[in-house]
């Protein structure tokens, strides 16, 4: 799901992007960018406060960690899930 930024449409050969026009509305049915914006905010805050800087070599690992945190944010036992 994307906003109407034109560069995303080059991905249409690989996926079918759903989009919302932020000049008109922020949510169109089930199409919105709120979840992605929330993930980026958590990632930026986490990197700036916890790691301070990120090397290119380990960037995929940082992204994996924060995606796992985000995907398991509603589970009370997220720590046990991470250990498993």
């Amino acid at each position: 799901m994307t906003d109407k930024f034109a560069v995303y449409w080059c991905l249409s050969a690989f996926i079918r992007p759903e989009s919302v026009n932020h000049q008109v509305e922020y949510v169109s049915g089930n199409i919105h960018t709120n979840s992605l914006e929330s993930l980026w905010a958590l990632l930026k805050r986490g990197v700036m406060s916890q790691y301070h800087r990120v090397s290119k070599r380990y960037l995929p690992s940082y992204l994996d960690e924060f995606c796992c945190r985000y995907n398991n944010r509603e589970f009370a036992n997220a720590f046990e899930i991470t250990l498993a």
Side-chain angles (χ1 to χ4, degrees):
M1 295 184 198
T2 68
D3 54 18
K4 286 286 189 180
F5 190 50
V7 74
Y8 298 129
W9 292 101
C10 69
L11 299 174
S12 62
F14 306 102
I15 59 170
R16 194 181 115 229
E18 300 282 344
S19 66
V20 62
N21 185 348
H22 284 170
Q23 293 179 344
V24 176
E25 59 191 354
Y26 286 94
V27 177
S28 176
N30 196 27
I31 302 169
H32 59 81
T33 58
N34 296 344
S35 300
L36 182 61
E37 290 170 2
S38 175
L39 172 64
W40 281 120
L42 291 172
L43 175 67
K44 288 190 294 187
R45 257 194 320 246
V47 167
M48 290 178 0
S49 66
Q50 193 170 2
Y51 301 112
H52 305 294
R53 54 185 259 175
V54 178
S55 71
K56 233 188 244 189
R57 179 179 177 184
Y58 295 109
L59 180 60
S61 297
Y62 292 119
L63 293 174
D64 286 344
E65 175 187 347
F66 282 96
C67 284
C68 181
R69 286 184 189 191
Y70 185 79
N71 290 334
N72 295 302
R73 69 192 179 281
E74 295 182 13
F75 294 111
N77 60 345
F79 184 70
E80 286 121 18
I81 291 170
T82 302
L83 290 177

